[in-house]
Amino acid sequence: MNRFLKHWRLTGRGEVFHAHVISYADDFVILSRGHAEEALTWTRAVMTKLGLTLNEAKTSVKNARREGFDFLGYTLGPRHLPNGGRWYLGASPSKKSVQRVKVKIGELLVPGNKGAWDEVRARLNRVLRGWSAYFSYGALASAYEAVDQHVYDRTRHFLRQRHKVQGRGADQFSREYVYGELAVRCLRRERSRSSP
């Protein structure tokens, strides 16, 4: 990847394609104004020359003003302010990223987990702290709400199974109890406290 980036700089492709390359490890995106197809054709040719290959399943040309694309766990592209507000270009955690953290939470809060609640909660809060530290930029409300709801549902189910409670367990394990007395992290609550 470094060889590609060096070649990009040395040949002045940024100026030619009115573009910037954003890269992390072996993932990259080229942001171009009006020359995306040419930049892609040039990139394919250079990658072949360098003995590298593009992942064609992940490679596409998008108009970021009209459609979103995923990069490094975020969905970037057009968004609009709530209640019919104006459109803007922004970022939010991708659906895949939200689904991945939900799977981690589900794997931790399985009824077969016999660990002490303090240990289970500490591991759960570590997962949530790490995920929210990475996804702390952009439009977060809907992603955080989806994760919080999943955490509450899985925690309630976990505790209901552990304590052999009949029914859904909503009375014994309310949201206030789970996020208050049991000290499970609530992403939306923490976000609102840290916002200016």
Side-chain angles (χ1 to χ4, degrees):
M1 189 64 206
N2 286 337
R3 292 181 297 155
F4 169 76
L5 294 173
K6 183 177 179 182
H7 196 61
W8 174 275
R9 278 192 313 275
L10 292 176
T11 58
R13 293 295 115 178
E15 292 78 30
V16 172
F17 299 135
H18 304 277
H20 296 280
V21 175
I22 311 297
S23 67
Y24 179 80
D26 63 346
D27 285 335
F28 69 98
V29 64
I30 299 173
L31 304 173
S32 173
R33 287 187 179 262
H35 300 278
E37 292 290 348
E38 296 123 42
L40 178 57
T41 301
W42 182 87
T43 299
R44 279 196 177 107
V46 169
M47 288 289 195
T48 301
K49 191 165 118 178
L50 295 173
L52 303 170
T53 56
L54 285 176
N55 180 339
E56 292 298 332
K58 288 176 145 185
T59 302
S60 63
V61 173
K62 303 269 186 184
N63 181 341
R65 293 180 190 279
R66 295 199 181 106
E67 56 188 325
F69 64 95
D70 290 353
F71 184 60
L72 300 179
Y74 278 92
T75 296
L76 306 157
R79 303 194 56 80
H80 66 87
L81 294 170
N83 302 322
R86 66 179 178 80
W87 286 89
Y88 67 98
L89 293 178
S92 62
S94 71
K95 288 179 182 175
K96 281 184 184 176
S97 299
V98 171
Q99 189 56 40
R100 267 190 226 114
V101 78
K102 286 181 176 182
V103 167
K104 279 185 183 177
I105 291 161
E107 289 168 352
L108 179 62
L109 295 174
V110 293
N113 182 345
K114 302 296 184 202
W117 171 248
D118 288 346
E119 294 169 17
V120 173
R121 181 190 56 225
R123 288 179 60 204
L124 174 61
N125 284 343
R126 253 193 318 274
V127 167
L128 294 170
R129 185 171 37 255
W131 190 83
S132 64
Y134 182 80
F135 293 106
S136 60
Y137 171 78
L140 303 169
S142 62
Y144 277 21
E145 179 57 35
V147 172
D148 284 343
Q149 184 62 47
H150 186 73
V151 167
Y152 172 62
D153 291 343
R154 296 300 302 161
T155 301
R156 191 184 71 229
H157 179 70
F158 176 79
L159 294 170
R160 186 174 62 80
Q161 294 287 328
R162 178 171 276 197
H163 298 291
K164 297 180 175 34
V165 171
Q166 296 297 317
R168 294 181 51 219
D171 292 335
Q172 296 87 339
F173 309 114
S174 67
R175 263 183 178 265
E176 292 73 29
Y177 180 71
V178 168
Y179 289 122
E181 195 171 323
L182 292 182
V184 173
R185 286 178 96 83
C186 181
L187 302 183
R188 288 200 72 190
R189 225 176 265 165
E190 289 179 11
R191 177 76 176 165
S192 64
R193 273 192 294 237
S194 65
S195 295

